[in-house]
Amino acid sequence: MEIELEQGWEIVLRGFNKLKNIVEGLPEPQFTSEDYMKLYTTVYTMCTQKPPHDYSQQLYDRYRESIEDYITSTVLPSLREKHDEFMLRELVKRWTNHKVMVRWLSRFFHYLDRYFIARRSLSPLNEVGLTCFRNLVYLELNGKVRDAVISLIDQEREGEQIDRALLKNILDIFVEIGMGQMDYYENDFEDAMLKDTAAYYSRKASNWIQEDSCPDYMLKAEECLKREKERVSHYLHSSSEPKLLEKVQNELLSVYGNQLLEKEHSGCHALLRDDKVNDLSRMFRLFSKIPRGLEPVSSIFKQHVTGEGTALVKQAEDAASNKKSVGLQVFVRKVIELHDKYLAYVSDCFQNHTLFHKALKEAFEIFCNKGVSGSSSAELLATFCDNILKKGGSEKLSDEAIEETLEKVVKLLAYISDKDLFAEFYRKKLARRLLFDKSANDDHVTDLTLARENQTSFEEYLGNNANANPGIDLTVTVLTTGFWPSYKSFDLNLPVEMVKCVEVFREFYQTKTKHRKITWIYSLGTCNLIGKFEPKTMELIVTTYQASALLLFNTADRLSYSEIMAQLNLTDDDVVRLLHSLSCAKYKILIKDPNTKTISPTDSFEFNTKFTDKMRRIKIPLPPVDEKKKVIEDVDKDRRYAIDASIVRIMKSRKTLCHQPLVMECVAQLGRMFKPDIKAIKKRIEDLISRDYLERDKDNPNLFRYLA
Amino acid sequence: MRKEDTVKLISAEGFEFVISKEAAMVSQTIRNMLTSPGSFAEAQHGEVTFPEISTTILEKICQYFHWSLQYASGKETEFPIEPELTLELMMAANYLHT
C-alpha cells in the first residue's frame, strides 16, 4: 500500500501535535502502542517505497523544520517575555521538554537513522533535534542566562540563599548543549564566571588587606576557598574547580602575598615570635597552593631562626665575659632546645616541606659556626658531650637521657663545618675519660684490658721476687702509642722513692717482651701521699708532678721557686701551675711567701705543718693544660694532608684540570669533614707543584697537569 | 509467567502470540517502543498489532526470538527457514529491526 507524501506527513504531524500537547501539559491521553506503531510504520513505509516515492529526504528535512517551527512559535516567545530567575526556570522547563520531544520523535523516525542517515553520513536525529534548540534558543539567550547565573552566584557569595538546584540544571544545559564537547560551557559561561570571580575577590581583598590582621585575613581566605569548592560540588561543573580555585588564590594570596606576610604586628615574623602554630599552619596550607608561595615564608622563617640563634650566641658571650663558666654548657643546651622547637615547627606547621628543612639547616649553619668567647662551636659541643658522659660532670642524667641528648648533639653536628675539629676534641676528652674515669666503660677498650692484665702479672712478679719490691704500691697502665692521642712526656726528675719503682717495672717488663720501648708519661700519673700534719695525719691524692714537688720538702723546710724548678726539671708553665695548685688554691699545703694570688719566680715556699681539713683524705686537683691550642694545631696539620690527598686524587683521575674547577671539587670532596680555606688550597697546590706531583701548563697558567 | 513480563503480538489476521518481553525485545523496534519515556496507559501495555505482518510470518518471527535468546547463551543450532517465507521474513525483520 503506497502512501503519498502529504498523506503520510499528515499522520506524522498528528503524532507530533499530540506530543506537543503532552509535553505542554495539556490534557492529552498518552501514546498507545497502536499510536506508536502507526507512526513508526508510516515513516517506515515512506522510506521503503520505491523512488520517486522514497520520501526519506523530505522526512529528514521536515523533521527538522517541525522542530524549528515549534521552537520559534512557542518556545522562544515564552522565554523572551521572562527575565532573571523566572527566565532561568522557564529555560530549564523548555529544555527538559525539548529533550523528551526529541527522544520520542527519534523513535518514530528511527528508520531514517538506520539507513538514510547512515548512508549519507548525515547528523543523526538526536543531534539534529538538539542542534535546533541550540541554534535558535541557546544562541539567542545564553548571554542573558549567563549574566543571570553570575548575578545569583554573587548574591550567594554575599550570604543570600539561592536556588542551587536551578543553577545546576541551567549549567547542565551548557554542558549538554555541547553534545560531548565542553566548548559552550567554557566559552559562554565559565570564562565570564571566572572573570567575575576574580573581580569580586579582588575588591574584597583590597579591603581586607587594609583592615584585617594577617591571621584574620588568612581565616577569611581559607573560608572563601572552602565555599568556592562547595560551590563547584553544588552546581558548577567539576572541571571548573581547579580554574576557579586558582583565580581565588591568585586574587587573595598571590597579589597580596608579600603585604600579608610582612604586616607589621601580625605578619609572619610576629607569628613566629609569638609561637602561633595554628596560624602558621594555616599560612603554610594557603601559600603552598600558589606558585612559589612558600619561598617568602621560608625565607622569613630562616631569618627568624637565625635571629634567635644569634641571640643565644650573644647571651652566651655576655655570660662568658661575666665569668660564668656554666654559660657555655647552658648555651649548648639552649641551642639543642631551639633546634627541637623549630624542627617541630617544620614537621607540624610546615608539613616537613623541603624548603623549610633547608631554611632551618641554613639558619643553624649560620650561627652554629660562630664561636663563643674564643671557643669554636666544635669545641663547645665536644665539651658538652664530655660533661654529659663523664662521672662527676655537671649533668647527672640517666642512660636513656644521655643517649637522647647525644642524638640531638649529632643533629647539631651536621651544621658545623669543622667536623674534624670536633672529632679531635672529642677524642682527646674520650681518652681522658677512659684513663681517669673509674666508672668509664673500659671493657670496650682492649688496650686498657691488656693494661690491667699487665698490672696483675706485675703484682704476681712482685710477690715472687721479694727483693724487687720497690717499697711502694705501684700501679702501671701500659698503653699502645698509636691508639691514644699523643701526650707530651717530660723528663721529670723523679724523687728517689719513685725511681726505684720505675726500674723495678722496667725489669719486669723486660721479662715479658724485649721488643717494646716504654716511655713514661708522668703528667698523667696520680699519687697517694700521707701527709703528717700537726693537727692530724691526712691522705692527699695528687698528681705525680705535685707529689714530686711535695716530696722535696721531706728534705728541706723552705725552697725557692728556682730551686724547685731546678730539682724537678720542668718548664715554667708546669711549675707555675703545680705550685699554684698547692699554695694558692683551695688547699694550702704549702705556704707561699709573699702571700699573693699568683706565682712569680721570686717566690719561696714552706711546708704548711698546720694544714688541716675536716676530711681525712682530700684530692688536690691540678687543672689540665689547655689543650685547645694543640688540638687546633693538630687539626690544621691533618687538614693540610687531607687537602693534599684530595688534590692528588682529583688530578690523578682528571689528568688535567683548570684552577677554579679543581678548587671547587676539592671543597666538595672535603666538605664532609670541614670547610677548607681557599687560600690554604692554593698553597697546597703550589706545594705539590714544587714536589713534582703537578705541573702548570706552559701556555695556560690556569691549567694544571698531573705528573705520574 | 507474570502478565507484566509478557507482550501480546497480534498478526494481520488477528492471531495473538503471547511471548516473554525478553524475547520480544530481540526486535529493536519493539524494544524502543517498550522503553519509551512516558509510560503507556496501563491497559494498553503489552499489546502490539501488526496489520502488515501475516500470521505465518509472525509465528516464524516469534520462533526466531526464542532461538535467538538460546543462541545468545551459547548453544549453537541452525534456524530453519522455509524458502517460500524468506522474502516476507526479510521484510518483516527489516521493519522490526531484528
Side-chain angles (χ1 to χ4, degrees), chain A residues 359-375:
Chain A
L360 184 70
K361 171 171 172 290
E362 288 171 8
F364 267 77
E365 274 170 6
I366 292 177
F367 73 81
C368 274
N369 284 309
K370 294 189 170 121
V372 176
S373 60
S375 299

Side-chain angles (χ1 to χ4, degrees), chain A residues 253-438:
Chain A
L253 298 170
S254 297
V255 170
Y256 291 105
N258 282 334
Q259 237 179 306
L260 190 61
L261 291 175
E262 284 162 25
K263 266 193 176 261
E264 213 186 308
H265 301 293
S266 63
C268 191
H269 256 300
L271 295 177
L272 282 167
R273 185 192 64 211
D274 299 334
D275 294 328
K276 301 271 192 226
V277 282
N278 282 334
D279 291 324
L280 287 169
S281 302
R282 181 167 299 115
M283 186 176 273
F284 178 82
R285 283 196 301 271
L286 289 173
F287 280 82
S288 59
K289 295 185 186 150
I290 56 175
R292 315 193 57 182
L294 291 175
E295 283 170 28
V297 184
S298 72
S299 156
I300 297 180
F301 177 67
K302 177 176 159 185
Q303 273 175 38
H304 176 81
V305 176
T306 311
E308 296 271 298
T310 314
L312 284 183
V313 170
K314 175 127 198 329
Q315 240 179 49
E317 287 270 9
D318 290 344
S321 65
N322 288 339
K323 297 264 188 273
K324 293 209 190 105
S325 66
V326 204
L328 293 179
Q329 192 75 359
V330 169
F331 169 68
V332 177
R333 269 249 170 263
K334 285 206 178 147
V335 173
I336 291 180
E337 277 167 21
L338 192 76
H339 189 252
D340 281 344
K341 175 177 175 186
Y342 287 109
L343 195 58
Y345 269 53
V346 173
S347 70
D348 297 338
C349 299
F350 303 128
Q351 297 178 21
N352 264 322
H353 194 277
T354 42
L355 258 183
F356 289 85
H357 270 293
K358 186 158 168 272
L360 184 70
K361 171 171 172 290
E362 288 171 8
F364 267 77
E365 274 170 6
I366 292 177
F367 73 81
C368 274
N369 284 309
K370 294 189 170 121
V372 176
S373 60
S375 299
S376 65
S377 41
E379 193 191 336
L380 290 178
L381 274 188
T383 313
F384 181 79
C385 292
D386 191 48
N387 266 328
I388 294 187
L389 288 167
K390 76 180 180 201
K391 190 180 200 209
S394 48
E395 317 237 358
K396 278 196 167 27
L397 300 171
S398 68
D399 280 348
E400 246 178 58
I402 292 182
E403 259 209 57
E404 227 187 279
T405 314
L406 287 181
E407 267 178 38
K408 297 190 193 212
V409 170
V410 168
K411 289 207 192 115
L412 289 186
L413 192 53
Y415 302 127
I416 296 191
S417 39
D418 295 335
K419 298 182 187 28
D420 55 349
L421 196 56
F422 171 82
E424 194 55 33
F425 273 115
Y426 188 85
R427 255 181 68 218
K428 279 232 141 70
K429 294 185 199 275
L430 170 67
R432 168 161 289 124
R433 281 203 303 280
L434 288 170
L435 285 177
F436 296 120
D437 235 1
K438 302 293 182 280

Side-chain angles (χ1 to χ4, degrees), chain A residues 34-81:
Chain A
E34 204 184 310
D35 296 327
Y36 184 102
M37 290 314 291
K38 185 106 200 257
L39 286 164
Y40 175 79
T41 313
T42 311
V43 171
Y44 171 84
T45 315
M46 286 203 276
C47 293
T48 49
Q49 288 171 165
K50 291 205 185 28
H53 302 290
D54 172 5
Y55 299 120
S56 301
Q57 181 68 52
Q58 291 91 322
L59 282 175
Y60 186 70
D61 293 334
R62 289 188 186 199
Y63 167 84
R64 186 189 321 106
E65 282 158 18
S66 315
I67 295 180
E68 284 173 352
D69 277 339
Y70 173 67
I71 293 178
T72 357
S73 63
T74 317
V75 178
L76 271 178
S78 84
L79 284 171
R80 282 185 187 133
E81 68 187 15

Side-chain angles (χ1 to χ4, degrees), chain A residues 31 33 40-41 104 107 111, chain B residues 29 32 37 40 47 94-95 97:
Chain A
F31 280 100
S33 55
Y40 175 79
T41 313
W104 277 102
R107 297 280 168 92
Y111 197 77
Chain B
T29 307
N32 278 354
F40 293 98
E47 252 184 45
N94 188 31
Y95 174 74
H97 196 174

